[in-house]
Amino acid sequence: MTQKPFFGIQACSGFARAGWLQTPHGRVDLPAFMPVGTQGAVKALLPSQLAEAGVQMLLGNAYHLHLRPGEDVVARFGGLHGFMSWPRPILTDSGGFQVFSLAELRRVSDRGVEFQSHIDGATVAMTPERATEIQNALGADVIMAFDDCVPYPCERDRAEQAMRRTVAWAARCRQAHAREADQALFAIVQGSVFEPLRVECAARLAEMDFPGYAIGGVSVGEGDPLMYQVLDATLPHLPADRPRYLMGVGTPVNLLECIERGVDLFDCVLPTRNGRSAMAFTARGPLRLRNLKHRDDPRPIDPTCACAACRGFSRGYLRHLFQAREIAAAVLTSLHNVAFYQDLVRGCRQAILEGRFPEFKRSFLETYQHPEGDETQ
Amino acid sequence: MTQKPFFGIQACSGFARAGWLQTPHGRVDLPAFMPVGTQGAVKALLPSQLAEAGVQMLLGNAYHLHLRPGEDVVARFGGLHGFMSWPRPILTDSGGFQVFSLAELRRVSDRGVEFQSHIDGATVAMTPERATEIQNALGADVIMAFDDCVPYPCERDRAEQAMRRTVAWAARCRQAHAREADQALFAIVQGSVFEPLRVECAARLAEMDFPGYAIGGVSVGEGDPLMYQVLDATLPHLPADRPRYLMGVGTPVNLLECIERGVDLFDCVLPTRNGRSAMAFTARGPLRLRNLKHRDDPRPIDPTCACAACRGFSRGYLRHLFQAREIAAAVLTSLHNVAFYQDLVRGCRQAILEGRFPEFKRSFLETYQHPEGDETQ
């Protein structure tokens, strides 16, 4: 990394932290939520709409971009920032999770993974070195070590093997990393739901002194209580002076619970995926926009929201767009949901800065979880 | 209509006219091209994007909006302008064309048409009176008479019956029209490719003194030469002091040819439909963005275009978005295509105002029809 500090903490409220990342493409206020731009685009949204919604950092995926269009193509456009016309910070996932969730006929060994592309069936060999090389070519501000992901539930022996492999692979990723000056390499803690494995993984990775740490292998079916237990066991073993990224999480409630425990960074497909399927987040709980009760409703999705969707469009119109299968339905609802998530983490940050995170959380949850609800809104 | 003049001509260049419409929702410079917002939304685009692309007037469709969500619903949102959040002029088609192209099991009589909805099979009875009432509820600035559309090819007897019916129905639409003060009702000339029928229809409708006239039943398979013949036969029989709208047309070349003949207003799905299927219009002819040759091309769709898509995104990136089936592909290419059409009619208008339309047309066609072309761009 450059000599400039990469991460700082400005305030804490309990275990919750407000801070920042300083990257070659600008600053990210923490806690932060990254919309998912797997294939070099956040589904249904343009970069200008993301920026207007307050997004500071996006997630891209090395697995997908390697398969299509290829990191060499992306590199010729000035890397992922130039390719997708997003001048702000980007984090790329290494593809460990995708190899294990999307690819077919995979064979895992200590060396790496061989699998068949989910797009065309071509055989691809992925190793920690290759995953790092791909991410060096993509040029994101933060890149992720290649990890061995296990499903849930998972036998302890397999979880332990994957954890040890993930630690060894993190070392190989660092060894292979060719752009330490402008790309921060984060290590990923694995270990399934076995607390001793999580503790060991966190401690061994912490010794290796990475600029940031992620917790992977959660939100894979274990349920919220187990996920929170994993976090409670793991976070104390991660260095307090490094950013903490919880991968693939989550709902608004998840974000509050995990920020309270000390997580700084999140990504999740929920705001955009739900946006495409007519589910809109509001401070009073989610709305299902296809519901008949919205037909004549002139109110925006969330009267307290200032996003472009809520400034111009009624629930009744959005319902019509979904019924009529118009693309604008997905665009507007995704736009609102992304803005809702940004507002949520910004609210958390402000509350932490002012030392009132517990009150903020309680107040948010009261409104969100005991809504007059979709039935009366 | 209101006392304020609704239509004016500013200049002519040959038969080509530059002018304006003045509607309750603002002015439209003529010649004008209306993107198609059949179901109350232009596919893949938001009103803000349409306005930024220079669009002054949209087309909506009474047939579709009657079936879903129903004109009563739209009316409760302040009409189509309020419903879709488009504060500028709108024209609604009466649905004659859709009844004959989309609906099933239709029965036509002098009274009207009975058909089954293409959405749910429900039986719907449509008459000139009902089509007008629906359009009164939708509240567009310009509404269309309900016409009897025939396919191509068509027997002369059937074409004549449809033409006479269309004239009779135009009179009934005017009789039923309840908002003459703020909605201009245009009559539609039918007659298939039979010049005497077109002449008779135009002359009889002209006697009835409508605020504007449309030519319908073209671009239905007859081919460009026959369409131009129909126009050449019909236009001299329409009053020169009324706007002329050619329905459902067309390609950039069609627009130039028809503006040259004296048409003022167009609508067509081409810019948006082609945008969704990866075909982009440029001054040097169309591009097929899925073509492999675009993979590494850093140029925008059209380097001479100032639209939001061309300001920020390369052909290479757009190709990737289409390959990856990202919604943003349709959004960006539709956006560019709509901007291209607006630039084209604006260029025509400027050329007419400056008395150099023939040169403008020749120069555009030379570049567009003899491109270095998709093969070398």
Side-chain angles (χ1 to χ4, degrees), chain A residues 39-40 43 68 76-77 83 85 296 312 314 317 320 323-324 326, chain B residues 39-40 43 68-69 76-77 83 85 296 312 314 317 320 323-324 326:
Chain A
Q39 305 188 103
K43 291 197 189 303
R68 185 172 57 195
R76 282 196 284 278
F77 288 86
F83 188 54
S85 209
D296 296 317
S314 64
Y317 181 62
H320 167 67
Q323 295 293 109
E326 286 286 345
Chain B
Q39 306 189 101
K43 290 197 187 307
R68 186 174 55 197
R76 282 196 284 276
F77 287 87
F83 188 54
S85 210
D296 296 318
S314 65
Y317 180 63
H320 167 67
Q323 296 293 109
E326 286 286 345

PDB file of all heavy atoms in Angstrom, chain A residues 39-40 43 68 76-77 83 85 296 312 314 317 320 323-324 326, chain B residues 39-40 43 68-69 76-77 83 85 296 312 314 317 320 323-324 326:
ATOM      1  N   GLN A  39     -20.923  -8.369 -12.685  1.00  0.00           N
ATOM      2  CA  GLN A  39     -20.397  -8.478 -14.045  1.00  0.00           C
ATOM      3  C   GLN A  39     -19.923  -7.130 -14.584  1.00  0.00           C
ATOM      4  O   GLN A  39     -19.885  -6.914 -15.776  1.00  0.00           O
ATOM      5  CB  GLN A  39     -21.485  -9.018 -14.973  1.00  0.00           C
ATOM      6  CG  GLN A  39     -22.072 -10.336 -14.519  1.00  0.00           C
ATOM      7  CD  GLN A  39     -22.997 -10.952 -15.554  1.00  0.00           C
ATOM      8  OE1 GLN A  39     -22.617 -11.888 -16.240  1.00  0.00           O
ATOM      9  NE2 GLN A  39     -24.196 -10.421 -15.703  1.00  0.00           N
ATOM     10  N   GLY A  40     -19.575  -6.215 -13.674  1.00  0.00           N
ATOM     11  CA  GLY A  40     -19.150  -4.904 -14.147  1.00  0.00           C
ATOM     12  C   GLY A  40     -20.307  -3.954 -14.344  1.00  0.00           C
ATOM     13  O   GLY A  40     -20.188  -2.945 -15.045  1.00  0.00           O
ATOM     14  N   LYS A  43     -27.002  -4.326 -11.369  1.00  0.00           N
ATOM     15  CA  LYS A  43     -28.144  -4.671 -12.213  1.00  0.00           C
ATOM     16  C   LYS A  43     -29.201  -3.565 -12.204  1.00  0.00           C
ATOM     17  O   LYS A  43     -29.648  -3.119 -11.150  1.00  0.00           O
ATOM     18  CB  LYS A  43     -28.751  -6.008 -11.779  1.00  0.00           C
ATOM     19  CG  LYS A  43     -27.796  -7.165 -12.095  1.00  0.00           C
ATOM     20  CD  LYS A  43     -28.465  -8.526 -12.090  1.00  0.00           C
ATOM     21  CE  LYS A  43     -27.406  -9.618 -12.192  1.00  0.00           C
ATOM     22  NZ  LYS A  43     -26.535  -9.502 -13.379  1.00  0.00           N
ATOM     23  N   ARG A  68     -15.982 -13.649 -18.418  1.00  0.00           N
ATOM     24  CA  ARG A  68     -16.591 -12.777 -19.431  1.00  0.00           C
ATOM     25  C   ARG A  68     -16.542 -11.357 -18.952  1.00  0.00           C
ATOM     26  O   ARG A  68     -17.115 -11.100 -17.887  1.00  0.00           O
ATOM     27  CB  ARG A  68     -18.044 -13.219 -19.684  1.00  0.00           C
ATOM     28  CG  ARG A  68     -18.735 -12.459 -20.794  1.00  0.00           C
ATOM     29  CD  ARG A  68     -20.084 -13.043 -21.130  1.00  0.00           C
ATOM     30  NE  ARG A  68     -20.963 -13.087 -19.944  1.00  0.00           N
ATOM     31  CZ  ARG A  68     -22.088 -13.800 -19.874  1.00  0.00           C
ATOM     32  NH1 ARG A  68     -22.460 -14.549 -20.878  1.00  0.00           N
ATOM     33  NH2 ARG A  68     -22.829 -13.784 -18.785  1.00  0.00           N
ATOM     34  N   ARG A  76      -7.602  -3.436 -20.865  1.00  0.00           N
ATOM     35  CA  ARG A  76      -7.392  -2.539 -22.004  1.00  0.00           C
ATOM     36  C   ARG A  76      -8.268  -1.294 -21.940  1.00  0.00           C
ATOM     37  O   ARG A  76      -8.031  -0.316 -22.645  1.00  0.00           O
ATOM     38  CB  ARG A  76      -7.645  -3.292 -23.321  1.00  0.00           C
ATOM     39  CG  ARG A  76      -6.475  -4.201 -23.716  1.00  0.00           C
ATOM     40  CD  ARG A  76      -6.557  -4.621 -25.176  1.00  0.00           C
ATOM     41  NE  ARG A  76      -7.543  -5.653 -25.430  1.00  0.00           N
ATOM     42  CZ  ARG A  76      -7.348  -6.973 -25.246  1.00  0.00           C
ATOM     43  NH1 ARG A  76      -6.188  -7.410 -24.780  1.00  0.00           N
ATOM     44  NH2 ARG A  76      -8.283  -7.839 -25.515  1.00  0.00           N
ATOM     45  N   PHE A  77      -9.316  -1.326 -21.118  1.00  0.00           N
ATOM     46  CA  PHE A  77     -10.162  -0.139 -20.935  1.00  0.00           C
ATOM     47  C   PHE A  77      -9.744   0.664 -19.711  1.00  0.00           C
ATOM     48  O   PHE A  77     -10.506   1.469 -19.199  1.00  0.00           O
ATOM     49  CB  PHE A  77     -11.634  -0.559 -20.821  1.00  0.00           C
ATOM     50  CG  PHE A  77     -12.230  -1.017 -22.117  1.00  0.00           C
ATOM     51  CD1 PHE A  77     -12.112  -2.338 -22.541  1.00  0.00           C
ATOM     52  CD2 PHE A  77     -12.895  -0.116 -22.940  1.00  0.00           C
ATOM     53  CE1 PHE A  77     -12.658  -2.746 -23.743  1.00  0.00           C
ATOM     54  CE2 PHE A  77     -13.446  -0.532 -24.143  1.00  0.00           C
ATOM     55  CZ  PHE A  77     -13.325  -1.847 -24.551  1.00  0.00           C
ATOM     56  N   PHE A  83     -13.604   0.706 -17.477  1.00  0.00           N
ATOM     57  CA  PHE A  83     -14.506  -0.147 -18.252  1.00  0.00           C
ATOM     58  C   PHE A  83     -15.961   0.195 -17.949  1.00  0.00           C
ATOM     59  O   PHE A  83     -16.764   0.410 -18.855  1.00  0.00           O
ATOM     60  CB  PHE A  83     -14.210  -1.605 -17.914  1.00  0.00           C
ATOM     61  CG  PHE A  83     -14.923  -2.618 -18.766  1.00  0.00           C
ATOM     62  CD1 PHE A  83     -14.835  -2.591 -20.150  1.00  0.00           C
ATOM     63  CD2 PHE A  83     -15.650  -3.650 -18.179  1.00  0.00           C
ATOM     64  CE1 PHE A  83     -15.480  -3.546 -20.937  1.00  0.00           C
ATOM     65  CE2 PHE A  83     -16.289  -4.602 -18.952  1.00  0.00           C
ATOM     66  CZ  PHE A  83     -16.209  -4.549 -20.338  1.00  0.00           C
ATOM     67  N   SER A  85     -17.016   2.828 -16.181  1.00  0.00           N
ATOM     68  CA  SER A  85     -17.230   4.262 -16.024  1.00  0.00           C
ATOM     69  C   SER A  85     -17.663   4.617 -14.595  1.00  0.00           C
ATOM     70  O   SER A  85     -18.574   5.414 -14.390  1.00  0.00           O
ATOM     71  CB  SER A  85     -18.281   4.740 -17.048  1.00  0.00           C
ATOM     72  OG  SER A  85     -18.054   6.073 -17.406  1.00  0.00           O
ATOM     73  N   ASP A 296     -54.039   2.300  -6.259  1.00  0.00           N
ATOM     74  CA  ASP A 296     -54.455   3.708  -6.325  1.00  0.00           C
ATOM     75  C   ASP A 296     -53.662   4.595  -5.374  1.00  0.00           C
ATOM     76  O   ASP A 296     -54.074   5.723  -5.093  1.00  0.00           O
ATOM     77  CB  ASP A 296     -55.952   3.822  -5.981  1.00  0.00           C
ATOM     78  CG  ASP A 296     -56.825   3.108  -7.003  1.00  0.00           C
ATOM     79  OD1 ASP A 296     -56.528   3.253  -8.207  1.00  0.00           O
ATOM     80  OD2 ASP A 296     -57.775   2.416  -6.597  1.00  0.00           O
ATOM     81  N   GLY A 312     -40.388  11.224  -7.717  1.00  0.00           N
ATOM     82  CA  GLY A 312     -41.206  11.367  -8.912  1.00  0.00           C
ATOM     83  C   GLY A 312     -42.327  10.370  -9.103  1.00  0.00           C
ATOM     84  O   GLY A 312     -43.213  10.598  -9.932  1.00  0.00           O
ATOM     85  N   SER A 314     -45.248   7.264  -7.886  1.00  0.00           N
ATOM     86  CA  SER A 314     -46.138   6.741  -6.851  1.00  0.00           C
ATOM     87  C   SER A 314     -46.048   5.223  -6.781  1.00  0.00           C
ATOM     88  O   SER A 314     -45.637   4.550  -7.727  1.00  0.00           O
ATOM     89  CB  SER A 314     -47.578   7.133  -7.185  1.00  0.00           C
ATOM     90  OG  SER A 314     -47.965   6.514  -8.408  1.00  0.00           O
ATOM     91  N   TYR A 317     -48.122   3.825  -9.605  1.00  0.00           N
ATOM     92  CA  TYR A 317     -47.451   3.753 -10.907  1.00  0.00           C
ATOM     93  C   TYR A 317     -46.449   2.609 -10.924  1.00  0.00           C
ATOM     94  O   TYR A 317     -46.368   1.852 -11.901  1.00  0.00           O
ATOM     95  CB  TYR A 317     -46.763   5.084 -11.200  1.00  0.00           C
ATOM     96  CG  TYR A 317     -46.050   5.118 -12.530  1.00  0.00           C
ATOM     97  CD1 TYR A 317     -46.757   4.967 -13.715  1.00  0.00           C
ATOM     98  CD2 TYR A 317     -44.670   5.304 -12.597  1.00  0.00           C
ATOM     99  CE1 TYR A 317     -46.108   5.004 -14.941  1.00  0.00           C
ATOM    100  CE2 TYR A 317     -44.014   5.351 -13.811  1.00  0.00           C
ATOM    101  CZ  TYR A 317     -44.735   5.195 -14.986  1.00  0.00           C
ATOM    102  OH  TYR A 317     -44.091   5.225 -16.192  1.00  0.00           O
ATOM    103  N   HIS A 320     -48.146  -0.605 -11.405  1.00  0.00           N
ATOM    104  CA  HIS A 320     -48.495  -0.769 -12.823  1.00  0.00           C
ATOM    105  C   HIS A 320     -47.277  -1.209 -13.638  1.00  0.00           C
ATOM    106  O   HIS A 320     -47.380  -2.117 -14.480  1.00  0.00           O
ATOM    107  CB  HIS A 320     -49.065   0.540 -13.376  1.00  0.00           C
ATOM    108  CG  HIS A 320     -49.166   0.554 -14.868  1.00  0.00           C
ATOM    109  ND1 HIS A 320     -50.031  -0.249 -15.566  1.00  0.00           N
ATOM    110  CD2 HIS A 320     -48.458   1.247 -15.806  1.00  0.00           C
ATOM    111  CE1 HIS A 320     -49.883  -0.039 -16.866  1.00  0.00           C
ATOM    112  NE2 HIS A 320     -48.923   0.856 -17.044  1.00  0.00           N
ATOM    113  N   GLN A 323     -46.675  -4.827 -13.060  1.00  0.00           N
ATOM    114  CA  GLN A 323     -47.710  -5.637 -13.714  1.00  0.00           C
ATOM    115  C   GLN A 323     -47.469  -5.701 -15.221  1.00  0.00           C
ATOM    116  O   GLN A 323     -47.670  -6.737 -15.846  1.00  0.00           O
ATOM    117  CB  GLN A 323     -49.104  -5.031 -13.472  1.00  0.00           C
ATOM    118  CG  GLN A 323     -49.562  -5.023 -12.034  1.00  0.00           C
ATOM    119  CD  GLN A 323     -49.798  -6.414 -11.493  1.00  0.00           C
ATOM    120  OE1 GLN A 323     -49.033  -6.896 -10.664  1.00  0.00           O
ATOM    121  NE2 GLN A 323     -50.838  -7.068 -11.963  1.00  0.00           N
ATOM    122  N   ALA A 324     -47.016  -4.557 -15.773  1.00  0.00           N
ATOM    123  CA  ALA A 324     -46.826  -4.467 -17.224  1.00  0.00           C
ATOM    124  C   ALA A 324     -45.435  -4.949 -17.641  1.00  0.00           C
ATOM    125  O   ALA A 324     -45.092  -4.864 -18.812  1.00  0.00           O
ATOM    126  CB  ALA A 324     -47.059  -3.024 -17.680  1.00  0.00           C
ATOM    127  N   GLU A 326     -42.545  -3.657 -17.223  1.00  0.00           N
ATOM    128  CA  GLU A 326     -41.702  -2.601 -17.785  1.00  0.00           C
ATOM    129  C   GLU A 326     -40.353  -2.576 -17.068  1.00  0.00           C
ATOM    130  O   GLU A 326     -40.279  -2.690 -15.845  1.00  0.00           O
ATOM    131  CB  GLU A 326     -42.392  -1.240 -17.630  1.00  0.00           C
ATOM    132  CG  GLU A 326     -43.563  -1.029 -18.576  1.00  0.00           C
ATOM    133  CD  GLU A 326     -43.114  -0.766 -20.024  1.00  0.00           C
ATOM    134  OE1 GLU A 326     -41.925  -0.464 -20.238  1.00  0.00           O
ATOM    135  OE2 GLU A 326     -43.976  -0.886 -20.915  1.00  0.00           O
TER     136      GLU A 326
ATOM    137  N   GLN B  39     -47.403   1.560 -22.602  1.00  0.00           N
ATOM    138  CA  GLN B  39     -48.075   1.212 -21.352  1.00  0.00           C
ATOM    139  C   GLN B  39     -47.859   2.269 -20.278  1.00  0.00           C
ATOM    140  O   GLN B  39     -47.901   1.983 -19.089  1.00  0.00           O
ATOM    141  CB  GLN B  39     -47.546  -0.129 -20.838  1.00  0.00           C
ATOM    142  CG  GLN B  39     -47.630  -1.246 -21.866  1.00  0.00           C
ATOM    143  CD  GLN B  39     -47.298  -2.603 -21.263  1.00  0.00           C
ATOM    144  OE1 GLN B  39     -48.187  -3.375 -20.962  1.00  0.00           O
ATOM    145  NE2 GLN B  39     -46.019  -2.875 -21.058  1.00  0.00           N
ATOM    146  N   GLY B  40     -47.575   3.508 -20.691  1.00  0.00           N
ATOM    147  CA  GLY B  40     -47.316   4.545 -19.705  1.00  0.00           C
ATOM    148  C   GLY B  40     -45.863   4.589 -19.291  1.00  0.00           C
ATOM    149  O   GLY B  40     -45.518   5.145 -18.247  1.00  0.00           O
ATOM    150  N   LYS B  43     -40.021   2.083 -22.910  1.00  0.00           N
ATOM    151  CA  LYS B  43     -39.321   0.902 -22.411  1.00  0.00           C
ATOM    152  C   LYS B  43     -37.860   1.205 -22.101  1.00  0.00           C
ATOM    153  O   LYS B  43     -37.130   1.736 -22.928  1.00  0.00           O
ATOM    154  CB  LYS B  43     -39.443  -0.252 -23.408  1.00  0.00           C
ATOM    155  CG  LYS B  43     -40.879  -0.781 -23.456  1.00  0.00           C
ATOM    156  CD  LYS B  43     -40.989  -2.148 -24.103  1.00  0.00           C
ATOM    157  CE  LYS B  43     -42.460  -2.537 -24.283  1.00  0.00           C
ATOM    158  NZ  LYS B  43     -43.269  -2.455 -23.050  1.00  0.00           N
ATOM    159  N   ARG B  68     -54.983  -2.190 -18.925  1.00  0.00           N
ATOM    160  CA  ARG B  68     -54.135  -2.237 -17.724  1.00  0.00           C
ATOM    161  C   ARG B  68     -53.397  -0.942 -17.598  1.00  0.00           C
ATOM    162  O   ARG B  68     -52.640  -0.628 -18.517  1.00  0.00           O
ATOM    163  CB  ARG B  68     -53.150  -3.422 -17.839  1.00  0.00           C
ATOM    164  CG  ARG B  68     -52.317  -3.650 -16.599  1.00  0.00           C
ATOM    165  CD  ARG B  68     -51.468  -4.905 -16.688  1.00  0.00           C
ATOM    166  NE  ARG B  68     -50.621  -4.909 -17.871  1.00  0.00           N
ATOM    167  CZ  ARG B  68     -50.021  -6.010 -18.365  1.00  0.00           C
ATOM    168  NH1 ARG B  68     -50.211  -7.167 -17.789  1.00  0.00           N
ATOM    169  NH2 ARG B  68     -49.255  -5.932 -19.427  1.00  0.00           N
ATOM    170  N   PRO B  69     -53.550  -0.166 -16.524  1.00  0.00           N
ATOM    171  CA  PRO B  69     -54.317  -0.445 -15.307  1.00  0.00           C
ATOM    172  C   PRO B  69     -55.769  -0.015 -15.384  1.00  0.00           C
ATOM    173  O   PRO B  69     -56.496  -0.195 -14.407  1.00  0.00           O
ATOM    174  CB  PRO B  69     -53.586   0.422 -14.272  1.00  0.00           C
ATOM    175  CG  PRO B  69     -53.163   1.626 -15.040  1.00  0.00           C
ATOM    176  CD  PRO B  69     -52.811   1.111 -16.421  1.00  0.00           C
ATOM    177  N   ARG B  76     -57.179   8.895 -11.669  1.00  0.00           N
ATOM    178  CA  ARG B  76     -57.029   9.228 -10.246  1.00  0.00           C
ATOM    179  C   ARG B  76     -55.637   9.756  -9.914  1.00  0.00           C
ATOM    180  O   ARG B  76     -55.430  10.337  -8.851  1.00  0.00           O
ATOM    181  CB  ARG B  76     -57.347   8.001  -9.389  1.00  0.00           C
ATOM    182  CG  ARG B  76     -58.846   7.758  -9.248  1.00  0.00           C
ATOM    183  CD  ARG B  76     -59.172   6.810  -8.102  1.00  0.00           C
ATOM    184  NE  ARG B  76     -58.892   5.415  -8.410  1.00  0.00           N
ATOM    185  CZ  ARG B  76     -59.730   4.594  -9.060  1.00  0.00           C
ATOM    186  NH1 ARG B  76     -60.893   5.041  -9.483  1.00  0.00           N
ATOM    187  NH2 ARG B  76     -59.397   3.349  -9.285  1.00  0.00           N
ATOM    188  N   PHE B  77     -54.669   9.513 -10.804  1.00  0.00           N
ATOM    189  CA  PHE B  77     -53.321  10.043 -10.595  1.00  0.00           C
ATOM    190  C   PHE B  77     -53.121  11.360 -11.345  1.00  0.00           C
ATOM    191  O   PHE B  77     -51.997  11.775 -11.571  1.00  0.00           O
ATOM    192  CB  PHE B  77     -52.275   9.016 -11.039  1.00  0.00           C
ATOM    193  CG  PHE B  77     -52.141   7.852 -10.099  1.00  0.00           C
ATOM    194  CD1 PHE B  77     -52.966   6.740 -10.226  1.00  0.00           C
ATOM    195  CD2 PHE B  77     -51.216   7.882  -9.064  1.00  0.00           C
ATOM    196  CE1 PHE B  77     -52.863   5.667  -9.337  1.00  0.00           C
ATOM    197  CE2 PHE B  77     -51.103   6.813  -8.183  1.00  0.00           C
ATOM    198  CZ  PHE B  77     -51.929   5.706  -8.320  1.00  0.00           C
ATOM    199  N   PHE B  83     -49.537  10.331 -13.808  1.00  0.00           N
ATOM    200  CA  PHE B  83     -49.302   8.911 -13.535  1.00  0.00           C
ATOM    201  C   PHE B  83     -47.857   8.533 -13.849  1.00  0.00           C
ATOM    202  O   PHE B  83     -47.160   7.925 -13.041  1.00  0.00           O
ATOM    203  CB  PHE B  83     -50.271   8.084 -14.386  1.00  0.00           C
ATOM    204  CG  PHE B  83     -50.282   6.610 -14.093  1.00  0.00           C
ATOM    205  CD1 PHE B  83     -50.500   6.146 -12.797  1.00  0.00           C
ATOM    206  CD2 PHE B  83     -50.124   5.687 -15.111  1.00  0.00           C
ATOM    207  CE1 PHE B  83     -50.538   4.774 -12.532  1.00  0.00           C
ATOM    208  CE2 PHE B  83     -50.159   4.322 -14.855  1.00  0.00           C
ATOM    209  CZ  PHE B  83     -50.358   3.867 -13.567  1.00  0.00           C
ATOM    210  N   SER B  85     -45.409  10.701 -14.519  1.00  0.00           N
ATOM    211  CA  SER B  85     -44.463  11.741 -14.120  1.00  0.00           C
ATOM    212  C   SER B  85     -43.757  12.346 -15.341  1.00  0.00           C
ATOM    213  O   SER B  85     -42.543  12.548 -15.330  1.00  0.00           O
ATOM    214  CB  SER B  85     -43.439  11.161 -13.133  1.00  0.00           C
ATOM    215  OG  SER B  85     -42.972  12.133 -12.236  1.00  0.00           O
ATOM    216  N   ASP B 296     -13.025  -4.707 -28.053  1.00  0.00           N
ATOM    217  CA  ASP B 296     -11.964  -3.874 -27.486  1.00  0.00           C
ATOM    218  C   ASP B 296     -12.069  -2.415 -27.913  1.00  0.00           C
ATOM    219  O   ASP B 296     -11.114  -1.657 -27.766  1.00  0.00           O
ATOM    220  CB  ASP B 296     -10.598  -4.420 -27.921  1.00  0.00           C
ATOM    221  CG  ASP B 296     -10.339  -5.810 -27.377  1.00  0.00           C
ATOM    222  OD1 ASP B 296     -10.662  -6.039 -26.190  1.00  0.00           O
ATOM    223  OD2 ASP B 296      -9.839  -6.669 -28.118  1.00  0.00           O
ATOM    224  N   GLY B 312     -20.254   8.514 -21.601  1.00  0.00           N
ATOM    225  CA  GLY B 312     -19.601   7.737 -20.555  1.00  0.00           C
ATOM    226  C   GLY B 312     -19.196   6.311 -20.896  1.00  0.00           C
ATOM    227  O   GLY B 312     -18.429   5.711 -20.147  1.00  0.00           O
ATOM    228  N   SER B 314     -18.163   2.936 -23.576  1.00  0.00           N
ATOM    229  CA  SER B 314     -17.550   2.485 -24.829  1.00  0.00           C
ATOM    230  C   SER B 314     -18.390   1.402 -25.492  1.00  0.00           C
ATOM    231  O   SER B 314     -19.202   0.726 -24.860  1.00  0.00           O
ATOM    232  CB  SER B 314     -16.163   1.923 -24.531  1.00  0.00           C
ATOM    233  OG  SER B 314     -16.286   0.762 -23.716  1.00  0.00           O
ATOM    234  N   TYR B 317     -17.646  -1.850 -23.716  1.00  0.00           N
ATOM    235  CA  TYR B 317     -18.402  -2.079 -22.483  1.00  0.00           C
ATOM    236  C   TYR B 317     -19.850  -2.442 -22.804  1.00  0.00           C
ATOM    237  O   TYR B 317     -20.417  -3.367 -22.211  1.00  0.00           O
ATOM    238  CB  TYR B 317     -18.346  -0.831 -21.609  1.00  0.00           C
ATOM    239  CG  TYR B 317     -19.094  -0.967 -20.300  1.00  0.00           C
ATOM    240  CD1 TYR B 317     -18.702  -1.907 -19.354  1.00  0.00           C
ATOM    241  CD2 TYR B 317     -20.184  -0.157 -20.012  1.00  0.00           C
ATOM    242  CE1 TYR B 317     -19.382  -2.032 -18.148  1.00  0.00           C
ATOM    243  CE2 TYR B 317     -20.866  -0.265 -18.812  1.00  0.00           C
ATOM    244  CZ  TYR B 317     -20.467  -1.208 -17.889  1.00  0.00           C
ATOM    245  OH  TYR B 317     -21.135  -1.325 -16.699  1.00  0.00           O
ATOM    246  N   HIS B 320     -20.115  -5.948 -23.835  1.00  0.00           N
ATOM    247  CA  HIS B 320     -20.068  -6.817 -22.657  1.00  0.00           C
ATOM    248  C   HIS B 320     -21.421  -6.852 -21.945  1.00  0.00           C
ATOM    249  O   HIS B 320     -21.899  -7.930 -21.548  1.00  0.00           O
ATOM    250  CB  HIS B 320     -18.977  -6.339 -21.704  1.00  0.00           C
ATOM    251  CG  HIS B 320     -19.054  -6.953 -20.343  1.00  0.00           C
ATOM    252  ND1 HIS B 320     -18.832  -8.300 -20.118  1.00  0.00           N
ATOM    253  CD2 HIS B 320     -19.383  -6.437 -19.139  1.00  0.00           C
ATOM    254  CE1 HIS B 320     -19.002  -8.565 -18.834  1.00  0.00           C
ATOM    255  NE2 HIS B 320     -19.335  -7.458 -18.227  1.00  0.00           N
ATOM    256  N   GLN B 323     -23.720  -9.074 -23.850  1.00  0.00           N
ATOM    257  CA  GLN B 323     -23.323 -10.475 -23.684  1.00  0.00           C
ATOM    258  C   GLN B 323     -23.743 -10.994 -22.307  1.00  0.00           C
ATOM    259  O   GLN B 323     -24.158 -12.144 -22.163  1.00  0.00           O
ATOM    260  CB  GLN B 323     -21.807 -10.628 -23.822  1.00  0.00           C
ATOM    261  CG  GLN B 323     -21.256 -10.286 -25.189  1.00  0.00           C
ATOM    262  CD  GLN B 323     -21.701 -11.254 -26.256  1.00  0.00           C
ATOM    263  OE1 GLN B 323     -22.510 -10.912 -27.115  1.00  0.00           O
ATOM    264  NE2 GLN B 323     -21.211 -12.470 -26.191  1.00  0.00           N
ATOM    265  N   ALA B 324     -23.584 -10.124 -21.303  1.00  0.00           N
ATOM    266  CA  ALA B 324     -23.875 -10.526 -19.927  1.00  0.00           C
ATOM    267  C   ALA B 324     -25.350 -10.351 -19.573  1.00  0.00           C
ATOM    268  O   ALA B 324     -25.746 -10.590 -18.442  1.00  0.00           O
ATOM    269  CB  ALA B 324     -23.000  -9.735 -18.953  1.00  0.00           C
ATOM    270  N   GLU B 326     -27.118  -7.717 -19.106  1.00  0.00           N
ATOM    271  CA  GLU B 326     -27.363  -6.709 -18.085  1.00  0.00           C
ATOM    272  C   GLU B 326     -28.417  -5.714 -18.570  1.00  0.00           C
ATOM    273  O   GLU B 326     -28.384  -5.276 -19.729  1.00  0.00           O
ATOM    274  CB  GLU B 326     -26.062  -5.965 -17.755  1.00  0.00           C
ATOM    275  CG  GLU B 326     -25.075  -6.777 -16.942  1.00  0.00           C
ATOM    276  CD  GLU B 326     -25.492  -6.917 -15.480  1.00  0.00           C
ATOM    277  OE1 GLU B 326     -26.382  -6.169 -15.031  1.00  0.00           O
ATOM    278  OE2 GLU B 326     -24.912  -7.786 -14.792  1.00  0.00           O
TER     279      GLU B 326
END
